[in-house]
Amino acid sequence: MSELPAAPEQIVHVVDDDEALRDSLVWMLESHGYAVSAHDSAEAFLAVCSPEMTGCIVLDVRMPGMSGLELFEELDRRRCGLPVVFITGHGDVPMAVSALKKGAVDFIEKPFAEADMLRLIEHCLEREREGRARRLLEADTVRRLEHLTQREREVLDLIIAGKLNKQIADVLGISIKTVEVHRARVMEKMGANSLAVLVQSVVTLEPGNPTR
């Protein structure tokens, strides 16, 4: 596959109305080398939220105005893929559990140990990196598929179905030599150096993708 662009810097977005806790988190994370952006309300974060954001969100469940849960649901509607860790008080655990069922990564109760928070942050950032890399690879695969001719796509579909060259030739009514030529062009256009890479790049596309 083609070389992927350099990864952007990941930022830990801290969203909490408690100034003391917010400042404490920012200091702790920055002292461990993380880039941090602090927001004193859900509304403040939404005002700067964009699809290009990378990293993760540390989000207080209970805030005045829009709550952490309401922000989480709004981000889901906006298809924001940033992993979320909720900060909760003891009485907020049921709400945090509900958020987990809707896709949040985890929650941590106040007061929390520094090591526990750092572990959750690193887990979130790794998850976001993996998700972004997967989306980039899928986009690259889709772009390459669009450059295949109709015949090359027919050959590819039969390769994915596990057909041998002779079987592909019989299905399409062409010679084995012609199949070999199309197959070589498919491999080249898809940037695949092996049959396994070719198959994996196509079959792992998200279900419902119009190119499938």
Side-chain angles (χ1 to χ4, degrees):
M1 306 299 281
S2 64
E3 186 175 342
L4 297 175
E9 180 182 36
Q10 290 180 298
I11 296 176
V12 180
H13 299 274
V14 177
V15 186
D16 197 320
D17 65 297
D18 184 330
E19 184 177 4
L21 180 58
R22 191 173 65 247
D23 290 347
S24 175
L25 271 173
V26 170
W27 180 87
M28 180 190 77
L29 293 169
E30 288 183 340
S31 70
H32 283 83
Y34 293 103
V36 187
S37 178
H39 313 271
D40 60 8
S41 68
E43 292 85 353
F45 178 74
L46 279 179
V48 298
C49 181
S50 74
E52 293 75 31
M53 278 184 168
T54 60
C56 67
I57 304 172
V58 179
L59 177 58
D60 192 12
V61 167
R62 193 181 295 278
M63 294 184 289
M66 177 181 279
S67 71
L69 276 180
E70 289 170 337
L71 172 60
F72 179 70
E73 291 169 354
E74 176 61 26
L75 293 174
D76 184 56
R77 282 191 290 272
R78 296 188 183 194
R79 295 189 172 278
C80 172
L82 296 183
V84 174
V85 170
F86 277 103
I87 299 175
T88 73
H90 179 69
D92 299 326
V93 170
M95 286 195 292
V97 171
S98 173
L100 289 181
K101 294 178 180 178
K102 296 177 181 178
V105 172
D106 212 332
F107 69 89
I108 188 167
E109 284 188 78
K110 295 181 283 191
F112 48 80
E114 179 177 305
D116 291 338
M117 175 60 82
L118 292 173
R119 175 180 54 80
L120 286 177
I121 292 293
E122 194 50 47
H123 173 62
C124 282
L125 294 179
E126 181 180 359
R127 178 166 166 168
E128 194 269 333
R129 283 192 297 269
E130 291 174 350
R132 180 155 28 90
R134 184 175 61 253
R135 290 190 296 275
L136 287 171
L137 284 170
E138 288 176 350
D140 183 61
T141 298
V142 169
R143 179 184 60 79
R144 289 174 177 273
L145 285 170
E146 290 171 347
H147 285 82
L148 297 182
T149 65
Q150 181 177 347
R151 180 61 87 189
E152 288 166 352
R153 187 56 198 262
E154 290 170 347
V155 170
L156 173 60
D157 288 342
L158 291 167
I159 291 173
I160 300 299
K163 302 294 185 184
L164 302 175
N165 284 358
K166 183 180 184 307
Q167 295 171 310
I168 295 173
D170 290 342
V171 171
L172 298 179
I174 57 179
S175 69
I176 294 178
K177 182 65 176 177
T178 301
V179 171
E180 291 172 350
V181 170
H182 285 310
R183 186 170 182 144
R185 287 176 179 165
V186 167
M187 297 285 284
E188 180 182 358
K189 287 185 177 182
M190 295 301 296
N193 57 14
S194 72
L195 180 60
V197 170
L198 175 68
V199 172
Q200 186 177 31
S201 67
V202 178
V203 301
T204 54
L205 284 176
E206 292 184 359
N209 191 303
T211 62
R212 289 298 303 273

